[in-house]
Each structure stands twice: as C-alpha cells, then as structure tokens.
Amino acid sequence: MKKTTLLTVLLSATMLTAANAADPIKIGVVTPLSGTYAGIGQQVRWGLDLATKEVNAAGGIMGRQIELIYEDEEANPSVAVQKADKLFQVNKVDFLTGTVNSASTVAVGQVAERANKLIATTVSFADDITGAKCSPNVFRVNARAGQQSAALAAWLAKDKPKAKVFFLGPDYLMGRSTVAAFKDAAEKSGASSLGEVFAPLDSKDYTQYFGQMRAARPQVLYTSVAGNDTVRLFSQMQEFGLMKDLLVLGASGTVTAQNLPAIGKAAEGFATGVGYSDEIDTPENKKFVEAFKAANKAAPDLYGADSYGLIYAYKAAVEKAQSTDTDKVRKALEDLKWQTPQGEKTLRAGDHQAVQTMYVVRVTGGKFMTVGQVSGADAIGPDTCPRF
Amino acid sequence: MSAAIEYFQYVLAPQMLIGLVLGVAVILVALGLTIIFGLLDVINMSHGEFYALGAFIALALASIGLPFWLLLILVPLAMLPVGYIVERGLIQRVFHSGERHVTTLLLTFGLGLVMEDAFRLVFGPNPHKPETPISGAIDILGVFLPLYRLFLIVGGAVVVTLVALVVYRTRLGAMVRAAAFDKHMAASLGVPVQHVYAGAFAFGVALAGLAGVLLAPIYTVFPTMGRDFILMAFTVVIVGGMGSIAGVVVAGVLLTQVQAISSLYISPVWSDPIVFGIMVIMLMVRPQGLFGRLGHG
C-alpha cells in the first residue's frame, strides 16, 4: 500500500467523522396515524414536533439538528415491528419512540435489542413493560398503570369508602394490566370487586356487556378503554341509562382532550389518575400549553406532554454521554433527572420507569379539574424488573 | 319454569334485541353492496368508505344547522351523483378486462384508501359524536331499549321494503334485473345498459350513505369507520346469496343473532371467527348462498 493511498484513506475517514458530527440525529417515530388510536398518535406527533422545533432552534443536540422520521403503526404490533425494523435498518435512526399499543412497545423493544438501539415509549400503560417484560433497551417516560392506580385508589377511598367496583377493559395487554393494577390498588384501600369483562379493541357495540354490568349493580365502574372506544362506550352507556348514580373511573388515556369533545355530557364526573393535566398551575406548564396551542390549535393532553418531555430527556442524555452510542446513552438515561412541563421527572435505573408526581383529575363542567395529588415516591411502587 | 322466563326476560331477550339493532346496521350497509355485486358483478371494497362519506356529509350539514330528518333525504341524494361519476369515471374503465373481479377489487380498495386519507385530512383523526335525534328510552316487557335504536329497527325495515319494491315492482327495477340477467338481450330491447349500471352503482352507494346517516349517532364518525362493517357486510352478502335482497335480510339477522347469543356464553372475541366460520361452511356447502342472484331467481 502506497503512503499516498494510506493518507487519502485516513483523510477521507476523518472527513467522514467530521461530516457525521454535523449530520442530523435521526429519531424514528412509530406511532398510530390511522385507526382507533389515531388521535393519540396525533398528540404524540404534536408533542415531538414542538420539542424538536425548540431544540433545533436553540442549536440542536451537541450542534446537531434532530430529524424525526414518522411511520404509521396502525396500533398493530405486527405492523409496528416491520416499521421499526425498517427505521433501524434502512433509515439508520439513532433512537426510536412513538409506540402507543403496549403490545407494540414490547414487540418493538425486542426489535431494538436485536438492532442494539434504544427505544422509549411516551404512551403505553402496561406495567409489564418496565416490570416482568422489561428490557435494557426500553425506557418509559410516562406514568404506568400502577402509578395511575395508586393515585386514583387513594382518592376513591376518600370520596367513596368501601366502594363496589365493576371493571371493563379492552382485551389486550394494556387492558388486562390496567384492570389488574387498579383492582389491586382499590382492594388494598377497602373497595370490593364485583366482576370484570374484557371487550375486543375497537368494539362497535358495548351494549352486549350491559346485561352483566347491570346485574352486578356496581357503584363504581373502572374502565381502561381509550380513543374512539371510549366515545362509543360512554355514549352507549348514557343511551341505556347506565350513567345514573354510577361513578366512572378510568385509566389516564380513557378520556383526554382529544376525545372529550366527542363524548360530551357523558364524561361528566369521570375521574382518573394521571401524570399530566393542562390544568397544572406552574409557569413551565403555562408556557408549554401556550406554545402547544399556538402550534396545533389544540390543548396538549398527557400524550402530547410526555412526548414533548422525551425529546428533552434524550437531549440531556446525549449531552451527558457526549455521544449517541447506545451503551453510553443508556447509562446517561439511567437515573437521569430532567425538567418537563409537569415538573421534574427521574428515570429509575432499576427498571427504566419514570418517577413523577401523580394527579387525580375529574371532568367538571366539560373540563378536567385537579382534585388530588400523590407524590412520585408514593405512587411508583417497587422495582420488579428481573433482567438488569 | 319461572327461572327460565326470568332468564329470557333479563338476559336473552335484551341480548337478542341489541343483536337485532346491529343486524339492521349490517343489513343497511350490505344492501347497497349486494345490489352492486349482484348486478355489476363488481366487488366494491370501498363500500365502507362510502358509508363513512355519508356520515361525514351528514356531520358537515348538521353543523350548519340542518335537521336530522332532512339529512335522511339529502345525503343519499348527494351521494347519487358521486356514485354515478365513480362508476362512469373509474369502474367502467376496468369493467371489460378479463380479470374483472381482480381489477375492480383492487381499484375500489385503492379508492377506499384514498377516501379514508381524505377524511383524515379534512376532519382530523378524532371521532365526532352527532347528537342522537331521538332521546329517551322505552320498556318493552321489562327490556330496556333506547328510542333511537327502536327507530333504527323500524326505519331499517322501511328502507329494506322500499328497496325491494323498487327492484321487484317497478319498471326501473325490471330494467335493472334484465340488464343483470342478460345485458346483450336487454341492450337490444332498448335498455340503456351503461346508464343502468352507473345508476345501480349510484343507488348502492346512496344506500351506503343512508346507512352512514342512520348509524352515525350510535357508532360515532371517524375516518376509519368504514372498516368496521365491511367484513361483516361482505359475509352477509356471501351467506345470503350475491345480489339477493331477501338473502341479505335473512343472513344479516341470522349472523348477528349468532354473534349476540354466542357472546353470552363464550368470550366475545370468538364472535368474528364463528361468523366467518359459517361463511366458509356456506361457501363449501352452498356456494350460491341461501338465495340465488338478482335476475337469476
């Protein structure tokens, strides 16, 4: 090998790395843009876009701009896996987020392990994602079912002591996980369970379960349906006169800013435990809500806020690691403390779950009002991740 | 004995009644499908999106203050030219190819996807819930039924009867059936076959639109709503016999009752596989369905 060639190779190699430093950081987003969870995907997109715009305007991450690459996962795990694979292999993204369906998050986590990349969900509720099914390559920056339930059950014990509760969930990982988590938390604080029923995701008609529900004579209904499913369930319950003298509780995603207008009066009195509400009265949140409304002509819900916060978590981690390398960023994300619209969050190193203050909010006069609050440490529960 | 009566009154009867509402919904969607299928021999995969289009037009018109009762007439009328243009502009072009079933299926499938995206661009991904035009509920022998659902059962029966009268009792219907039976013979007798085809497609699409108006208050309006009924509607058309109106009614009621009653005893997740299982058995045992074809009866 001649010296000149060697020199050229060396030179071009250094030029390549120099070019790399100025290349954008690519973040893949696999999120439902169609189907029953399209409204959730829209919030995810709005939150990510807003934070990315802000970070890029302020000079990016370590001088590199962020580029988001979107793929529609249709809230379907098998589609999500294909799209994630494509983003890792073809688009060579550095990081991936956006999955909504809990089963999608678990499946895409396995894809990330094979590709040796990191993903974060900003939406999925199933406890298992940072519990029994945890992965060293998966982080969750939003509150899981257990955290939501801890706050909600504490409030229920005060509002309706010894309540009799009936459960209705969507029949997949998230639905079963949220129902189990709330059942456990509510029973521990004195409530009793009357029965449970699981309806397929995207059900047209919930009226076929009303016989069972009526027969149980519950004082409280807990449901974890989300998206369009909630609109149908609530309006059909109202149609059949089931909302009378019934307190309806739900998961964070059951009623949000995106489906509340369509549900209308049927949502009145609904309460849930949630990690974010646009009602949170801090200067940071007010600023965020204003910017979000200016950009999207709609208020942010938990998905928008948590997705927004993720970009800042990733920025903080990459800057701390001084690299986008998987192992270094993972280390930087573990025990990371960062600022979000809803205040400071911490990513617990033991299971990659975000710890955050939890709120109980209730629909009053067509708007969410905060009626209770539980500290992050009280809501988080034990670390049950067996893998790391 | 009284236990059995009680079981019927509180468990079985409400379930069957609720199943009947869903049955009427499916029949309304399947009606237009079977006319297009039986007459033009076109598998209209975009039928669900035309059902959604009807619901969205109703939503837009209701937002400018038009009453629901007017929409029941206006929306199907607005859909007629749409269907006519789609048939003349798109379906006609691939209608005479040797692979007609495949080409029309792919064409209408693509059209459905385009329509779905158009809905999302115009109305956004979130669901809309139109006000229920009739509120309140009645007690039928201790079975609770919202009035709007009762109206849907009655209204659905009226629509099916009217459609059957048009097809089997009018000169227009006779022309349509003649064109379906033997288009060359019909053409030589002076039936304007091209217009009959386009008109029949428009009629089927208008029925889908009517179903959209009627079902919007119960099932909400959102871009992918067309996917909800399309598989069930196709199953009903196949089991009932392609192009048969009576077949759609019988199969629609039968299959939704099977769904409703079976979901009492086994997990509702199984209701779809059971229905499609019935369809597969039907295709093996009696491929022409319960009743024959339009014009071949």
Side-chain angles (χ1 to χ4, degrees):
Chain A
M1 208 172 193
K2 286 204 185 81
K3 264 189 188 161
T4 44
T5 13
L6 191 65
L7 206 62
T8 340
V9 170
L10 272 177
L11 262 175
S12 48
T14 45
M15 272 166 69
L16 266 179
T17 42
N20 267 347
D23 275 355
I25 294 178
K26 288 186 196 161
I27 299 180
V29 188
V30 177
T31 203
L33 301 169
S34 62
T36 189
Y37 287 169
I40 300 175
Q42 187 182 47
Q43 278 279 344
V44 169
R45 186 172 197 154
W46 284 342
L48 292 172
D49 282 350
L50 180 63
T52 301
K53 211 172 70 194
E54 289 174 6
V55 169
N56 284 347
I61 303 180
M62 293 176 13
R64 295 168 63 184
Q65 295 281 296
I66 303 172
E67 184 192 341
L68 299 174
I69 304 170
Y70 284 93
E71 287 287 351
D72 184 6
E73 61 119 285
E74 300 160 31
N76 177 338
S78 60
V79 176
V81 164
Q82 289 165 23
K83 299 284 173 85
D85 241 343
K86 174 193 167 271
L87 286 167
F88 286 137
Q89 309 305 340
V90 181
N91 304 80
K92 302 271 190 266
V93 296
D94 300 289
F95 186 74
L96 192 138
T97 185
T99 49
V100 167
N101 181 314
S102 291
S104 295
T105 300
V106 171
V108 170
Q110 290 162 351
V111 176
E113 278 190 41
R114 284 198 299 273
N116 190 29
K117 294 282 185 207
L118 299 175
I119 71 157
T121 180
T122 60
V123 176
S124 295
F125 294 160
D127 285 327
D128 279 1
I129 293 168
T130 47
K133 291 190 167 74
C134 66
S135 153
N137 295 46
V138 178
F139 288 82
R140 168 156 48 194
V141 297
N142 59 296
R144 62 182 177 189
Q147 289 162 284
Q148 300 167 21
S149 299
L152 190 58
W155 176 81
L156 177 66
K158 278 212 291 283
D159 192 72
K160 258 199 176 43
K162 301 203 171 26
K164 295 191 177 69
V165 192
F166 190 84
F167 300 86
L168 190 158
D171 196 7
Y172 76 108
L173 182 64
M174 180 280 272
R176 297 204 171 250
S177 169
T178 43
V179 164
F182 186 72
K183 199 170 164 176
D184 184 54
E187 281 175 358
K188 280 195 181 114
S189 57
S192 55
S193 310
L194 298 171
E196 53 191 56
V197 60
F198 290 95
L201 183 65
D202 229 352
S203 285
K204 285 188 284 291
D205 221 324
Y206 288 91
T207 46
Q208 51 182 329
Y209 311 102
F210 291 175
Q212 284 185 58
M213 204 189 293
R214 212 189 290 273
R217 299 189 202 291
Q219 301 165 298
V220 177
L221 171 76
Y222 173 88
T223 180
S224 50
V225 295
N228 295 353
D229 291 0
T230 312
V231 184
R232 291 171 167 184
L233 173 65
F234 280 32
S235 48
Q236 286 163 8
M237 278 177 66
Q238 198 178 30
E239 227 190 324
F240 279 73
L242 283 172
M243 288 290 192
K244 269 205 273 316
D245 310 322
L246 181 74
L247 170 63
V248 184
L249 306 176
S252 300
T254 299
V255 178
T256 70
Q258 55 114 165
N259 60 11
L260 184 56
I263 302 168
K265 285 194 187 69
E268 199 58 25
F270 169 88
T272 181
V274 67
Y276 177 80
S277 140
D278 58 342
E279 295 292 312
I280 296 172
D281 199 4
T282 60
E284 295 84 14
N285 188 45
K286 279 206 166 67
K287 199 177 114 214
F288 164 70
V289 172
E290 261 167 48
F292 194 96
K293 277 184 176 162
N296 309 312
K297 318 240 178 323
D301 61 16
L302 64 152
Y303 310 121
D306 286 332
S307 303
Y308 173 91
L310 169 73
I311 296 291
Y312 283 96
Y314 185 68
K315 176 177 188 278
V318 171
E319 281 169 355
K320 192 162 131 192
Q322 282 298 305
S323 157
T324 52
D325 170 77
T326 297
D327 292 334
K328 287 179 182 157
V329 174
R330 181 191 294 119
K331 225 178 146 49
L333 280 169
E334 285 174 346
D335 281 333
L336 178 82
K337 281 189 173 28
W338 84 105
Q339 289 303 325
T340 67
Q342 60 258 62
E344 187 180 77
K345 288 190 193 183
T346 312
L347 271 167
R348 186 157 69 173
D351 59 359
H352 294 180
Q353 172 62 49
V355 182
Q356 58 186 76
T357 306
M358 296 299 296
Y359 302 87
V360 178
V361 295
R362 194 165 187 190
V363 179
T364 326
K367 282 181 63 169
F368 274 114
M369 296 292 173
T370 310
V371 291
Q373 185 172 334
V374 175
S375 76
D378 287 342
I380 185 69
D383 167 4
T384 56
C385 168
R387 281 190 57 192
F388 51 87
Chain B
M1 193 62 224
S2 72
I5 291 170
E6 211 162 70
Y7 180 80
F8 179 80
Q9 183 179 343
Y10 289 109
V11 182
L12 202 57
Q15 199 74 359
M16 286 169 77
L17 205 54
I18 284 162
L20 187 61
V21 175
L22 191 60
V24 170
V26 170
I27 289 166
L28 284 172
V29 178
L31 206 53
L33 201 60
T34 205
I35 286 171
I36 293 171
F37 214 169
L39 176 68
L40 286 88
D41 210 15
V42 165
I43 299 164
N44 181 18
M45 286 300 283
S46 56
H47 201 72
E49 279 65 50
F50 283 109
Y51 153 71
L53 180 63
F56 275 116
I57 295 176
L59 195 71
L61 292 177
S63 72
I64 58 169
L66 293 183
F68 177 80
W69 312 109
L70 193 58
L71 298 181
L72 285 179
I73 299 158
L74 273 185
V75 173
L77 284 180
M79 299 283 288
L80 282 171
V82 174
Y84 198 89
I85 292 164
V86 167
E87 209 281 340
R88 292 307 296 261
L90 295 172
I91 292 170
Q92 276 294 303
R93 293 177 192 283
V94 296
F95 190 72
H96 299 290
S97 79
E99 296 283 318
R100 181 197 307 165
H101 282 147
V102 178
T103 49
T104 53
L105 188 143
L106 289 173
L107 175 81
T108 52
F109 185 71
L111 177 66
L113 291 177
V114 171
M115 287 171 77
E116 213 173 68
D117 273 334
F119 298 145
R120 198 173 305 127
L121 284 172
V122 179
F123 297 93
N126 292 330
H128 301 270
K129 168 90 177 62
E131 278 302 307
T132 312
I134 315 171
S135 52
I138 54 159
D139 238 317
I140 311 172
L141 305 171
V143 178
F144 184 91
L145 189 72
L147 279 177
Y148 186 72
R149 294 196 177 222
L150 184 67
F151 162 76
L152 196 68
I153 295 173
V154 176
V158 171
V159 170
V160 173
T161 313
L162 285 177
V163 170
L165 284 177
V166 169
V167 173
Y168 293 112
R169 289 282 177 274
T170 63
R171 198 183 147 73
L172 186 72
M175 273 197 217
V176 169
R177 280 177 296 133
F181 185 69
D182 185 343
K183 67 172 181 226
H184 301 295
M185 179 61 88
S188 63
L189 289 171
V191 174
V193 173
Q194 296 293 340
H195 290 289
V196 167
Y197 277 173
F201 189 85
F203 185 59
V205 161
L207 281 173
L210 179 64
V213 187
L214 282 167
L215 299 182
I218 292 189
Y219 297 123
T220 68
V221 186
F222 55 97
T224 47
M225 66 191 285
R227 298 180 192 179
D228 280 352
F229 281 104
I230 194 70
L231 280 178
M232 192 67 186
F234 265 116
T235 312
V236 163
V237 170
I238 290 165
V239 171
M242 298 173 194
S244 161
I245 292 172
V248 161
V249 175
V250 173
V253 171
L254 205 71
L255 290 177
T256 47
Q257 285 303 317
V258 166
Q259 269 191 328
I261 294 166
S262 70
S263 71
L264 279 175
Y265 307 105
I266 45 180
S267 165
V269 172
W270 283 97
S271 67
D272 279 353
I274 289 172
V275 165
F276 296 137
I278 293 173
M279 179 181 84
V280 171
I281 292 166
M282 195 75 192
L283 283 172
M284 288 190 302
V285 179
R286 205 183 144 84
Q288 72 273 39
L290 293 171
F291 298 79
R293 278 190 51 174
L294 206 66
H296 293 244

